[in-house]
Amino acid sequence: TPSNSSAASDVYKRQNIYLHGASKHFSDEDHRINYLRILNCMLIIIANINDELIYKIDTLEKIETNN
């Protein structure tokens, strides 16, 4: 599995390809694969954000119960 930074980097590379019109020569299968890769990267990013929020909430709850 790719690291978080490489996953995010991959998303930006693919975004630039589509924004600057370099995707005209892609086949339907290439578009489908790129879509799935970007979707996968977005899911990884969302899962990481969720993990961070859960960690923060758990930490705050522990602090509050100790007071």
Side-chain angles (χ1 to χ4, degrees):
T1 59
S3 69
N4 296 337
S5 61
S6 68
S9 174
D10 190 45
V11 168
Y12 290 121
K13 286 178 189 173
R14 293 180 189 285
Q15 177 187 18
N16 284 335
I17 288 172
Y18 282 90
L19 286 176
H20 298 294
S23 64
K24 293 179 203 173
H25 64 279
F26 285 177
S27 68
D28 287 343
E29 183 65 13
D30 290 335
H31 286 296
R32 189 182 76 76
I33 290 170
N34 285 335
Y35 171 78
L36 292 174
R37 286 180 179 163
I38 291 171
L39 183 61
N40 186 36
C41 291
M42 294 300 292
L43 291 173
I44 290 169
I45 291 168
I46 290 169
N48 286 334
I49 291 170
N50 186 54
D51 288 345
E52 289 294 323
L53 291 173
I54 289 172
Y55 174 76
K56 185 72 168 178
I57 290 170
D58 288 345
T59 304
L60 290 174
E61 286 176 351
K62 288 178 186 176
I63 291 171
E64 287 177 2
T65 57
N66 289 338
N67 288 336

